[in-house]
Amino acid sequence: MKRIAVSPNVINRLPKYINCLERLKWKEVDRVSSAQLAEMLESTPSQVRQDFALFGNYGAQGYGYKTDYLLQEIKAVIGLNMTHNIAVIGVGSIGRALLEHIDFNRYNYRVCAAFDVDSDKIGSEIKGVEIYDINDLKSYMKMNKIDIAMLTVSPTVAKQVAAQLCDMGVRAIWNFTGEALGLPSDKILIQNVSFLDSLFTLTYRLENE
Amino acid sequence: MKRIAVSPNVINRLPKYINCLERLKWKEVDRVSSAQLAEMLESTPSQVRQDFALFGNYGAQGYGYKTDYLLQEIKAVIGLNMTHNIAVIGVGSIGRALLEHIDFNRYNYRVCAAFDVDSDKIGSEIKGVEIYDINDLKSYMKMNKIDIAMLTVSPTVAKQVAAQLCDMGVRAIWNFTGEALGLPSDKILIQNVSFLDSLFTLTYRLENE
DNA sequence: TAGATTGTTAATCGATTAACAATC
DNA sequence: TAGATTGTTAATCGATTAACAATC
């Protein structure tokens, strides 16, 4: 795997390739061309080949790509062959829903712990993940290696909790709060999921296209 | 407001402008320059001015932009001055969480109804939204104008339900199922929200940057 | 008026698409 | 071998950035 600057557009297409290739694998299609993938992704054969060529030579002239091999390679490019430990910060309805909804184990993620302020929740489990007192977060983080903090606290405390996570040395926050966390990008990686942004984009397209 | 082809990149920045301008309004900053906005968005003054200029002349030379006026104009560009009716299809943990979490009314969205198969849920309310039998969906859609279907059913039935919605003439689906719905883009507008895609992007950046 | 900042045109940069030799 | 399809280089297209006249 080469180590180069990859544009955000390419990075955002990588999960789409995973999705396509898994659908093909499910249908037991063990061979695929850039043209077929392009059609599935509403892209072009050129772009598909350019994207893959950034990371390696995964295909064969006159043949195409082996579905499963290509899938494994793209997974490796993203880093899905490594295990990533996740902590859930805030077990409100969103945190709970994501815990129940997402198949983390399928892609080598381990949800190690969840944290909340509510004493009614502390001590209970969701999907086998124990909920701890958020006051124990700091000591937990010292004892355990957490790669990604899934931030699902209420917007009112989002910035404050995020700053604490940053101080604790967490490397990445998956931010569902809708708040701008305002942390230095050289210290911590922030991935925002904004439902409103998505709804606004939908609305623009609905009214203007 | 001009009617032109606007690139996806610009469309995706519009919600970010809304967010910035609302934060400025909250801080009672009633005047803002393209340079200030660029800093907040990690963009450039040129890009900010280019973006706005696509839709109209919202600023004044030597002065900048009036925060609230610009906010109202960008909202109008997106279509947020109109009311949009939403129906929630599937009241599992995700549907429920989004209903509780998102402040729809603030941006002129009305969640008119929710639908589910579970007889325990049918007849009850969440946040003042009544849950109806999904078998009554078709007749409901005939009687009521719904702009956006929020699809939060399980992945297993996603395609089938989406096809029904399309047949019923729904113009847009906000798709949280993680499934490719496979509907013709000239018939219906699909906005996908994929948690896994977001997590994969985060992971790539974590491991490669 | 002088200073500041827009709106817009021109220049640059990067991403997408096209083309084709290599080769399975 | 002939046909198909990659990997890669070159051409095109579009988006971002820079520059500056207009003007508040």
Side-chain angles (χ1 to χ4, degrees):
Chain A
M1 197 196 310
K2 297 173 206 164
R3 172 70 75 140
I4 27 70
V6 176
S7 80
N9 286 1
V10 175
I11 299 172
N12 288 328
R13 281 194 293 269
L14 294 178
K16 316 282 183 201
Y17 291 125
I18 299 281
N19 189 263
C20 276
L21 291 166
E22 290 196 327
R23 273 152 59 205
L24 289 168
K25 192 183 174 186
W26 175 253
K27 287 194 279 182
E28 294 183 350
V29 178
D30 59 2
R31 175 185 164 181
V32 67
S33 69
S34 57
Q36 288 173 277
L37 283 168
E39 204 192 333
M40 293 177 80
L41 279 141
E42 301 180 75
S43 175
T44 62
S46 276
Q47 183 165 78
V48 170
R49 293 202 300 278
Q50 290 273 27
D51 283 352
F52 296 161
L54 280 170
F55 303 105
N57 291 11
Y58 302 137
Q61 278 99 331
Y63 178 88
Y65 304 89
K66 290 198 171 176
T67 309
D68 195 55
Y69 172 74
L70 182 59
L71 175 58
Q72 298 313 321
E73 290 295 324
I74 303 293
K75 278 186 172 180
V77 165
I78 294 176
L80 299 183
N81 49 351
M82 287 173 268
T83 299
H84 291 95
N85 293 328
I86 298 179
V88 178
I89 319 297
V91 192
S93 58
I94 288 281
R96 183 178 299 266
L98 295 174
L99 262 171
E100 288 174 1
H101 188 260
I102 302 174
D103 192 353
F104 289 100
N105 292 325
R106 185 173 161 75
Y107 299 98
N108 270 322
Y109 298 96
R110 305 279 172 261
V111 183
C112 303
F115 296 87
D116 205 284
V117 288
D118 185 348
S119 56
D120 289 350
K121 291 173 187 163
I122 295 164
S124 68
E125 277 188 7
I126 300 173
K127 282 259 178 179
V129 178
E130 190 165 351
I131 304 175
Y132 298 100
D133 190 327
I134 198 153
N135 292 313
D136 299 335
L137 180 59
K138 195 169 178 179
S139 59
Y140 182 92
M141 288 294 187
K142 270 188 197 147
M143 305 273 283
N144 299 273
K145 180 184 160 284
I146 292 296
D147 303 291
I148 300 167
M150 188 174 114
L151 191 65
T152 43
V153 297
S154 79
T156 46
V157 297
K159 279 188 92 155
Q160 182 218 321
V161 174
Q164 287 172 11
L165 288 166
C166 188
D167 285 343
M168 291 173 199
V170 169
R171 290 172 61 212
I173 295 179
W174 196 19
N175 176 29
F176 287 87
T177 69
E179 287 289 302
L181 300 180
L183 295 172
S185 59
D186 56 333
K187 282 252 172 38
I188 193 164
L189 181 60
I190 308 293
Q191 177 85 24
N192 293 308
V193 180
S194 169
F195 301 120
L196 272 183
D197 282 14
S198 170
L199 182 56
F200 290 175
T201 301
L202 171 63
T203 305
Y204 177 88
R205 298 205 290 149
L206 186 61
E207 298 299 341
N208 296 280
E209 282 175 9
Chain B
M1 200 194 311
K2 296 172 205 163
R3 174 69 75 141
I4 26 70
V6 176
S7 79
N9 287 1
V10 175
I11 298 172
N12 288 329
R13 281 196 292 269
L14 294 177
K16 316 283 182 200
Y17 290 126
I18 300 281
N19 189 263
C20 275
L21 291 166
E22 290 196 328
R23 273 152 60 204
L24 289 167
K25 192 183 174 186
W26 175 253
K27 288 195 278 183
E28 296 185 348
V29 178
D30 59 2
R31 175 185 163 180
V32 68
S33 68
S34 58
Q36 287 172 277
L37 284 168
E39 204 192 331
M40 293 177 80
L41 280 141
E42 300 181 73
S43 174
T44 62
S46 276
Q47 185 166 75
V48 170
R49 293 201 301 278
Q50 290 273 27
D51 283 351
F52 296 161
L54 280 171
F55 304 105
N57 291 10
Y58 302 137
Q61 279 99 329
Y63 178 88
Y65 304 88
K66 290 198 171 176
T67 309
D68 196 57
Y69 172 71
L70 182 59
L71 175 59
Q72 298 313 321
E73 290 295 323
I74 303 294
K75 277 186 171 180
V77 165
I78 294 176
L80 299 183
N81 50 351
M82 288 175 267
T83 299
H84 290 96
N85 292 329
I86 297 179
V88 178
I89 318 297
V91 192
S93 58
I94 288 280
R96 183 178 297 267
L98 295 174
L99 262 172
E100 288 174 359
H101 189 259
I102 301 174
D103 191 355
F104 289 100
N105 291 325
R106 183 173 162 74
Y107 299 98
N108 271 321
Y109 297 96
R110 305 278 171 262
V111 183
C112 302
F115 295 87
D116 205 285
V117 287
D118 184 348
S119 57
D120 289 349
K121 291 174 187 165
I122 295 164
S124 68
E125 279 190 5
I126 300 173
K127 283 260 178 177
V129 179
E130 190 165 350
I131 303 175
Y132 298 100
D133 190 328
I134 199 152
N135 292 312
D136 298 335
L137 180 60
K138 194 169 179 181
S139 59
Y140 182 93
M141 289 295 188
K142 270 189 196 148
M143 304 272 284
N144 300 272
K145 180 184 159 282
I146 292 295
D147 303 291
I148 300 167
M150 189 174 113
L151 192 64
T152 42
V153 297
S154 79
T156 47
V157 297
K159 279 188 93 156
Q160 181 220 322
V161 174
Q164 286 173 11
L165 288 165
C166 188
D167 284 343
M168 292 173 198
V170 170
R171 291 172 59 212
I173 294 179
W174 195 18
N175 176 28
F176 286 86
T177 68
E179 287 291 302
L181 300 180
L183 295 172
S185 59
D186 57 333
K187 282 251 170 41
I188 193 164
L189 180 60
I190 309 291
Q191 178 84 23
N192 294 308
V193 179
S194 169
F195 301 120
L196 272 183
D197 282 13
S198 170
L199 182 56
F200 290 175
T201 302
L202 171 62
T203 305
Y204 177 88
R205 298 206 290 148
L206 185 62
E207 298 299 341
N208 296 281
E209 284 176 7

